[in-house]
Amino acid sequence: MDQAPPVLGTLESALYVDDLDAACAFYRDILGLRPFQHAQGRHVFFMVSEQPRPQVLLLFRADATAKPPEPGARFPVPPHGARGAGHYCLAASAEQIDPWRRHLGARGVTIEAEIEWPGGARSIYFRDPAGNSLEIADAAIWAEA
């Protein structure tokens, strides 16, 4: 049986929001991510990390991406979208989990849960303005997977 070719890692992840302006402000001003592309009423893209290769978070309005591309579209991306809360996790060092908790709290972001995982890695959970479940986790969380 043939095996699938190897992949390099995750290049992009997507979440869906209703209010792009509120989402942009949250991810830029609270989480410190750099927006690099914005299509009014459709999407905002953020650079999460550039090392060892780009990792990107895509925020879309599901209503805008559910439609098939127009004939002759420059980028005929197939329709996509999701309803309800999604989940996205950012990795941090073990030493940065507490500073992140304080940073978020100081900006009025409620921490929904704090978990210590088997092996001692910790993570915190909170919501973005669209209700998506976000997590900041010790990068070692999957070290023993």
Side-chain angles (χ1 to χ4, degrees):
M1 179 173 163
D2 289 336
Q3 291 185 328
V7 297
L8 297 175
T10 299
L11 180 61
E12 59 190 34
S13 297
L15 290 173
Y16 296 86
V17 302
D18 294 324
D19 186 334
L20 285 172
D21 292 335
C24 184
F26 180 85
Y27 285 86
R28 180 192 63 224
D29 301 340
I30 304 291
L31 298 185
L33 301 182
R34 179 178 62 84
F36 68 90
Q37 190 178 113
H38 187 175
Q40 190 66 36
R42 185 178 189 280
H43 68 253
V44 180
F45 296 167
F46 293 88
M47 185 61 61
V48 175
S49 176
E50 296 187 47
Q51 300 299 323
R53 62 192 55 82
Q55 297 173 34
V56 177
L57 174 61
L58 312 174
L59 298 183
F60 291 104
R61 277 192 53 250
D63 292 344
T65 59
K67 302 172 191 165
E70 297 290 325
R74 182 174 174 205
F75 301 110
V77 176
H80 57 87
R83 298 283 182 229
H87 174 70
Y88 183 72
C89 179
L90 291 164
S93 69
E95 300 78 30
Q96 293 304 317
I97 301 300
D98 289 330
W100 265 109
R101 184 176 26 77
R102 290 189 298 271
H103 171 81
L104 293 167
R107 285 151 183 81
V109 177
T110 300
I111 303 299
E112 279 191 316
E114 296 185 48
I115 299 174
E116 185 169 325
W117 298 99
R122 294 183 312 138
S123 63
I124 55 176
Y125 289 81
F126 53 98
R127 301 272 170 181
D128 73 4
N132 290 302
S133 175
L134 303 181
E135 177 183 9
I136 296 180
D138 177 344
I141 197 168
W142 294 109
E144 297 182 27

